[in-house]
Amino acid sequence: MDSYNKIIRLSNMLYNDGLEKAKVRDLSGAADALQKSLKFHKGNIQARNLLGLVYYEMGEVVDALSEWVLSRSLQPENNAAEQYLEAIQSNRSRLSSVNQTIKKYNQALLYCKQGSGDLAIIQLKKVLSMNPKLIKGHQLLALLYMQDHKYELARKELQAAAKIDANNLITLRYLQEADQQIQKKPAPEKTTRRKKENMASYQSGNDTIIQPTNFKDTSPLMTILNLIIGVGIGVLLTWFLIVPNVRQSSVSDARKAELEANNELTARTQEIKGLEQEIETLNKQIKEMEGQSDDRQNKIDNYEQLIAAYDAFSQQNIQGAGDVIANVDVNLLGAQSKGVYDRLSAQINEQYIAAVYQQAEQDYNATNFPEAITGLEKVVQTEEDYEDGYAIYYLAQSYRQVGDVENAKKYYQRMVELHPGTNRARTSQRYLDELGTAE
C-alpha cells in the first residue's frame, strides 16, 4: 500500500511539474513531465487531459484527441475531456482542416525524400497557414531554408516556433546554427559615402551639375602640352625601366598568378567539402525525422480509424462503424486503447453483422447479386454458419447467378457439409452435380 501511495504521489508531482512548465510555455518540457506522470499512473486524468491540451497547443491535434478519448474511457463522468472532444467534433470544418494538415505535411515529407525542396517549402507554407501552431512544420521549413542558405528566413520560422514552445531543444539547436551562419556573412562594403566624398555638385540656373572633386577645367593648349609631356615621359619610362624588367616581371607575375590560383583552388575545395558535410548532416537529420514521422503517422492513422469507428457508432451508423473498425490494427494500440477497442468492437459486431446480412438479403431478393455477394462475404467471413446456414446458401446462389462457378461450388459444398439432410443441402448437391457436369 505504501508503494502504491508513493507511485501516486510521484505521478502527481510530475503532473505539477508539467503544469508549471506549461504556464511558462515550456511545452516540450511539460509534455515530457506529463508523459512520465502517466507512466507511473495511467489513470491520472488531470495529467492526461493537460497532456492533450499541450499537444493541441503544439499543433498536434490528433495526439490531443487520442489522449482525451482515452481519458473519457477511463472516467466517463465529470471529465473535462468530454468538453474538449465535443468542442472539436462539433466543428466539422476544424476536423477537416486537421486531416488536410496531416496529408499536406506528409506530402511535404515525401517531397523532401524525393529531393524536391521547393515543392516541400510550398506545401509546408500551406500547412502553417492552416495550422500556425504546428511546431514540427516550422522546424522542417527552417531546415529546408538552411539547406538553401536562407538563414534569415530560417531564423524567422524558428522564432515563430520558439514563441509557441520556448524551450524546444530542436528549435534552439536549429536557431543557434542559423545565428552562427548569419554572423559568418561579411558586412556589405560602405561605398556610398566614398562615392559621395569623391563627387561635388554646383547649381547652374535650374540644373544641378555633379562632377568629381578632382576634376580640373583646362584650356585646349594646356591639354595638348600635357599630352605631349605624358607621351614623352611614357617613352622614357618604357626605354629605361619597363623593357629591361619585362621578362622578369612576366615570370614573377606568372608565378604569383599560379600561387594565387592554387590558394584559391584550395580554399574553394575546403569550402565545398564543408558544404557537402553540412548537406550530409542535414540529410541525415531529415531521414531521422522521416523515420520517426512514419512510425508515428501509422499510429496516428490507426487511432483516427478507432475514433472514426466510435463517431459512426455514436451516430447509430452501425454498418459504417463496422467497416471502419475492421481497418484498426490492434497491435498499434496501447493497453488502454485495446480495452476501448474490445468494448467498442463487441458492441458493434453483433449489430453490424445483422445490418449487413439484412441489406445483403434484400439485394439477393432484388436480384442485385454482385451487391449481395459483397455483403454476404463479410457475414460469412465473420460467422460462417450465420442464420443457420442461409448466409452460405444465398452466397452460393449469388455466385452461380453471376457465373462464378468455382466460388459457387465452394459454398454449395460447405452447405452440404454443415447441414446434411436438409432441403437446402439436397438442392446444393444437385447444383454441385450440374456444375460438375457442365465443366
Side-chain angles (χ1 to χ4, degrees), residues 5 10 40 42 106 117 138 151 153 163 169 194 248 292 408 425:
N5 292 332
L10 185 57
F40 285 104
K42 294 182 178 180
N106 291 337
H138 288 290
Y151 298 107
L153 293 176
K163 288 181 181 179
L169 294 180
R194 294 179 183 175
Q248 183 177 357
Q292 296 173 0

Side-chain angles (χ1 to χ4, degrees), residues 145-161:
Y145 278 144
M146 286 194 286
Q147 191 172 11
D148 292 341
H149 305 288
K150 299 176 181 178
Y151 298 107
E152 291 289 351
L153 293 176
R155 182 168 63 177
K156 181 179 178 182
E157 292 298 328
L158 294 170
Q159 288 174 342

Side-chain angles (χ1 to χ4, degrees), residues 76-173:
E77 302 294 334
N78 298 324
N79 192 337
E82 182 69 32
Q83 300 176 3
Y84 304 150
L85 289 170
E86 184 178 354
I88 294 178
Q89 290 175 350
S90 61
N91 189 347
R92 294 295 177 182
S93 61
R94 176 58 176 161
L95 285 175
S96 176
S97 176
V98 169
N99 290 329
Q100 290 297 321
T101 300
I102 294 171
K103 291 178 181 178
K104 290 182 182 297
Y105 180 78
N106 291 337
Q107 185 63 48
L109 286 177
L110 179 61
Y111 284 145
C112 290
K113 190 173 183 181
Q114 295 172 348
S116 302
D118 293 339
L119 295 177
I121 289 173
I122 294 172
Q123 202 72 359
L124 286 170
K125 287 181 178 178
K126 294 180 181 178
V127 169
L128 294 174
S129 67
M130 299 169 67
N131 188 0
K133 294 182 179 180
L134 188 61
I135 292 177
K136 63 183 182 182
H138 288 290
Q139 291 172 344
L140 182 55
L141 182 56
L143 199 61
L144 291 169
Y145 278 144
M146 286 194 286
Q147 191 172 11
D148 292 341
H149 305 288
K150 299 176 181 178
Y151 298 107
E152 291 289 351
L153 293 176
R155 182 168 63 177
K156 181 179 178 182
E157 292 298 328
L158 294 170
Q159 288 174 342
K163 288 181 181 179
I164 302 169
D165 185 5
N167 291 328
N168 188 291
L169 294 180
I170 295 177
T171 300
L172 294 176
R173 187 169 72 246

Side-chain angles (χ1 to χ4, degrees), residues 218-233:
T218 58
S219 65
L221 180 61
M222 289 300 297
T223 301
I224 296 173
L225 182 59
N226 288 334
L227 181 61
I228 294 172
I229 293 173
V231 172
I233 293 173

Side-chain angles (χ1 to χ4, degrees), residues 11 14 33-45 47-48 51 67:
S11 176
L14 288 167
L34 293 169
Q35 287 168 357
K36 291 178 181 178
S37 173
L38 292 174
K39 284 184 179 180
F40 285 104
H41 180 37
K42 294 182 178 180
N44 192 334
I45 300 301
R48 193 171 295 280
L51 181 58
E67 294 298 333

Side-chain angles (χ1 to χ4, degrees), residues 167-199:
N167 291 328
N168 188 291
L169 294 180
I170 295 177
T171 300
L172 294 176
R173 187 169 72 246
Y174 289 174
L175 190 57
Q176 182 182 17
E177 178 65 21
D179 288 337
Q180 289 176 355
Q181 294 298 330
I182 290 172
Q183 291 174 2
K184 289 180 181 179
K185 288 186 178 181
E189 296 182 0
K190 299 180 179 179
T191 59
T192 305
R193 182 178 296 177
R194 294 179 183 175
K195 290 181 179 180
K196 289 183 177 179
E197 290 175 354
N198 293 330
M199 303 297 291

